[in-house]
Every structure is written in C-alpha cells, then in structure tokens.
Amino acid sequence: MTSASDTSPHLGLGSGIAALHAKWGWIVALGVVYLIAGFVALGSVVMATVASVLVVGAMMIVAGAAEIIGAFQMKSWGKFLIWALLGVLYVIAGILTFDNPVFAAVLLTLFLGVSLIASGAVRLFLAFSMKRESPWVWVALSGAITLLLGLLIVARWPVNSVYILGLFLGIDLIMAGAGWVSLGFALKRRS
C-alpha cells in the first residue's frame, strides 16, 4: 500500500534526469532535426524570413482572437471596448502580415534593430554602474556586442530586411539543435 507522500507529483531532480536518460536518443534526434532545419534556413534566408514573418502573423491572429474572447469577460463597457479594439488591431495586423510578408519583414527588422540598440545601451549602462568586484566586464561586452549588432541592422535597413530574420532564425535553430544534441549525449554518458 502506498501513502500519499509516496505518489507526490513533486519528484526530485534525479528522477527527472533518470526519465530523460532513457530518452537520450530522442533528444539527440530532436537536436539533429533542429540542426537540419537551421542549415536549411541558412541556405535560403529569404524563405526563412518569410516563414518567420508568417509565424508572427499567425501568432498575432491567435492573440487577437484571444483578446476579443477576453473582452466578453469584462464587466464594464469601457474595458470591453478597449480589449475588443486591441484584439481587432492584432487580427488586422496579422492579416496584413499574411497579405504583405515583405513589408512586415521590413517593419519587424527595424523593430529588431531598435530593440537590440536599446538592450545593448541598457546593458552597457548597467555594466558601468556595477561594482568592480562583479563580472561587469562580461555584461559590458555583451552590451557592446548587442548594441553593435543593432546598429549594423539599422544601418543597412531596409535592404537587409529580406534576409536578417531568416539569418537569425537559422542561427537560433542551429544553436538550439547543438544544445539538444549535447544534452542527449551527456545523458547517454551519464549511465
């Protein structure tokens, strides 16, 4: 007979790793799929850009529909109208993304560049305000690289809009794939 404490849903980290250990081959296979998808994306960055923009458009439509549904949960007309309007704007933006993915890529690339500039500037500010005992140099280096990347994107905008999102997608898929493959083989060696 088992007690309630024996069937606790909060299992230890060791049991979670043991469960993953049995699936190391699937984890490696997932990593290989990510790697292949990443190299395919890098092989055709324009198509990868369009694909990533279409995914963003689909997410905007889903988010807009959720906002509209959520609007009906509001008790006052003012809140209902604001939520409904936000939902309709999301849906319209998503539909426009599907209608003209190249224009959407131009806007998303500009947003990405400006966001990287802002993020890099904030990291640099934080790095120089940190105590000298902490690893402020690494934070500053990260901020400088992010700032430089954002400046490069904005400097070549809108020409780079047809490939920059696909390039980032390909690199991200390759990095994620390498991480999954490494994790799978580390789990296998752990036996």
Side-chain angles (χ1 to χ4, degrees), residues 6 9 23-24 39 79 83 94 102 120 123 130 141 186 191:
D6 293 338
K23 308 287 187 205
W24 74 268
F39 284 115
K79 289 181 182 177
W83 277 60
V102 175
R123 276 192 234 161
M130 294 171 76
L141 182 63
S191 57

Side-chain angles (χ1 to χ4, degrees), residues 29-43 170 173-174 177-178:
L30 175 67
V32 169
V33 169
Y34 271 67
L35 285 168
I36 292 169
F39 284 115
V40 168
L42 288 181
L173 287 170
I174 288 170

Side-chain angles (χ1 to χ4, degrees), residues 2-32:
T2 61
S3 68
S5 63
D6 293 338
T7 60
S8 172
H10 303 293
L11 301 174
L13 181 61
S15 64
I17 291 177
L20 284 176
H21 173 71
K23 308 287 187 205
W24 74 268
W26 287 105
I27 293 171
V28 170
L30 175 67
V32 169

